Structure formats: C-alpha cells, structure tokens
C-alpha cells in the first residue's frame, strides 16, 4: 500500500518569505518516485520536480529546492523568496512500480502569498 | 504542443441524471488517466488506460461510472445515475508510456455539481 500525507492544509506568507511544504510517505517498495505538483486557481496540475528513491541528494532548481530523507520517509519542498504567483495548492505524490505505477497524491497544501 | 483537452469545463445536473466528460490527451501519449478531485482533497485515480486497454480501475465505482478509450486516443467518462457525492472536479491526464518515473500532464478538468 502507498500513502502520502501533507499535514499542513494552508500556509500564508508575505512576499519574499521562504515557504517549506512538508510531505511524509508510506511505501513497502524499494523503488519509487516522489513528485511535487502545483495546482493554480485555473485548476490544471503542473509538474514541478521528481526524485527517485535511490537518490537522496538534495537539489536546488531556481527558487525551488527539496529535501529527501528516506530515514524519515519525508520529501519536503521549499520555495525561496516567494512571489504572489506562487499562490496555489501544492501536492506531493508517490509512484511505485509495485502499485502499477499508480500516482498517489497527498491532500495538498494551499499556499497564499500576500504582497 | 497542444496540452490535454477536456470538455465541458463546468456541468450542473440533478441527482439521478447522467453526465459524460470528454478528454483528448497529448498526441502520442499511450497512457490516459481519469482522476476525481473532491473539494479540499488530492486527486484520486479512477481509471488508467494503456492505449485502449484498462490497466487499473480498482477505484472506479463500476455500478455507476464507466469509461472507454475505444481507439486508444480520446476518452469518455460517464456517470449514470449521478449522486450528490459525485460533485467534484474530474481531471484527465496523460503520459508517454505510463512508467514509474514519468510526469503526468493534466487538463483543466470538468467541475461537476450534482444538485
């Protein structure tokens, strides 16, 4: 079974502040992928980043960075110097071959960036 | 490159009525997904197609929901008869092969209100 939990339902920040979104996952498989998607008010989910289970190296891509820790089954996502356009719902998701590559989403975290 | 197309954008029906949603995936994408997103929750997979065959429909309420992808391109999702709890956004997504590490491309969704 696979499960994704996003404990934060809503985060409100002022522009230029950093925002960190928490994600905890459950899986019995050793091979899996973790994703972050963004859902702006238009409704269309947009892929942001992905990480495979064998690579725990944390990375930075522009204003996005992520912290993957297998020991705690966490895959946290940070937006640095937030902007109003970052206001959206962010979803963490898990895909594993043992589950037929089905993408399982967490409940989402709504981020509101105020000017 | 054209994205995933969905129609209609909004639909309002009364309970016990029927409704159908249409999706046209990105050209060349073999895998097509239908997700249900209830307000305030993450998307939940209803059915996954690989070309014109069903890969996973374990969470599809088959007594009232049906879906087809007859020619392995566009797809239709039908609800008959609708219940109040079917009020949600129905998202269509596609990916190239449906592999574990592939990102999904989503349409803007159809927002269904059942009164």
């Amino acid at each position: 079974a696979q499960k994704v939990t996003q404990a934060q339902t809503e985060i409100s920040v002022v522009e230029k502040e950093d925002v960190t979104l928490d994600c905890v996952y459950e899986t019995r498989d050793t091979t899996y992928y973790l994703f972050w998607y963004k859902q702006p008010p238009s409704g269309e989910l947009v892929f942001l980043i992905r990480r495979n289970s064998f690579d725990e190296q944390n990375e930075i891509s522009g204003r996005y960075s992520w912290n993957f820790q297998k020991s705690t089954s966490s895959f946290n996502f940070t937006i640095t110097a937030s902007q109003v356009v970052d206001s959206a719902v962010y979803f963490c998701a898990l895909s594993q071959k043992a589950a037929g590559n089905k993408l399982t989403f967490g409940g989402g975290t709504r981020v509101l960036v105020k000017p | 490159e054209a994205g995933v197309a969905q129609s209609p954008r909004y639909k309002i029906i009364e309970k016990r009525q029927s409704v159908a949603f249409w999706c046209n995936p990105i050209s060349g994408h073999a895998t097509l997904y239908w997700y249900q997103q209830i307000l305030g929750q993450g998307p939940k997979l209803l059915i996954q197609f690989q070309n014109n065959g069903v890969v996973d429909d374990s969470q599809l309420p088959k007594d009232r929901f049906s879906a087809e992808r007859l020619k392995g391109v566009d797809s239709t999702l039908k609800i008959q008869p609708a219940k109040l709890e079917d009020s949600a956004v129905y998202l269509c997504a596609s990916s190239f092969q449906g592999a574990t590490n592939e990102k999904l491309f989503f349409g803007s969704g159809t927002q269904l209100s059942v009164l």
Side-chain angles (χ1 to χ4, degrees), chain A residues 32-33 35 37 39 42-45 47 50 91 95-97 99-103 105-107, chain B residues 9 35 37 40-43 45 48 56 58-59 91 98-104 106-108:
Chain A
Y32 53 88
Y33 284 80
F35 301 78
Y37 282 81
Q39 187 175 40
S42 62
E44 186 175 321
L45 278 95
F47 165 83
R50 92 188 118 202
F91 292 96
S95 175
Q96 60 184 65
K97 195 168 185 177
N101 301 330
K102 181 170 71 177
L103 192 63
F105 287 87
Chain B
R9 188 73 175 90
Y35 280 85
Q37 185 177 19
Q41 299 181 18
L45 180 68
Q48 177 180 341
D56 185 344
S58 57
Q59 298 190 90
L91 295 163
T100 315
N101 64 336
E102 283 185 22
K103 60 183 180 181
L104 272 58
F106 285 83
S108 298

Side-chain angles (χ1 to χ4, degrees), chain B residues 38-60:
Chain B
I38 294 172
L39 185 65
Q41 299 181 18
K44 182 185 83 171
L45 180 68
L46 291 176
I47 188 167
Q48 177 180 341
F49 291 96
Q50 186 74 13
N51 296 309
N52 60 351
V54 176
V55 174
D56 185 344
D57 63 356
S58 57
Q59 298 190 90
L60 186 74

Side-chain angles (χ1 to χ4, degrees), chain B residues 6-67:
Chain B
Q6 287 190 249
S7 67
R9 188 73 175 90
Y10 303 94
K11 192 73 177 179
I12 301 174
I13 62 173
E14 299 204 345
K15 59 182 179 182
R16 291 187 288 274
Q17 285 187 325
S18 302
V19 65
F21 313 125
W22 175 81
C23 172
N24 193 26
I26 291 174
S27 178
H29 280 192
T31 311
L32 185 147
Y33 313 78
W34 283 102
Y35 280 85
Q36 179 193 58
Q37 185 177 19
I38 294 172
L39 185 65
Q41 299 181 18
K44 182 185 83 171
L45 180 68
L46 291 176
I47 188 167
Q48 177 180 341
F49 291 96
Q50 186 74 13
N51 296 309
N52 60 351
V54 176
V55 174
D56 185 344
D57 63 356
S58 57
Q59 298 190 90
L60 186 74
K62 298 180 186 63
D63 58 334
R64 297 183 301 104
F65 286 64
S66 64

Side-chain angles (χ1 to χ4, degrees), chain A residues 5-67:
Chain A
T5 302
Q6 294 179 251
Q8 306 152 306
T9 55
E10 185 166 323
I11 299 175
S12 182
V13 298
V14 176
E15 208 170 15
K16 297 184 183 177
E17 288 185 341
D18 296 348
V19 180
T20 295
L21 309 180
D22 299 333
C23 173
V24 174
Y25 62 93
E26 295 178 26
T27 177
R28 297 176 184 172
D29 206 351
T30 56
T31 303
Y32 53 88
Y33 284 80
L34 294 160
F35 301 78
W36 278 97
Y37 282 81
K38 174 183 178 180
Q39 187 175 40
S42 62
E44 186 175 321
L45 278 95
V46 177
F47 165 83
L48 296 177
I49 60 168
R50 92 188 118 202
R51 173 61 69 198
N52 74 59
S53 54
F54 296 106
D55 185 358
E56 288 192 70
Q57 184 176 357
N58 298 316
E59 286 192 23
I60 297 173
S61 175
R63 294 189 299 111
Y64 299 152
S65 62
W66 47 100
N67 185 339

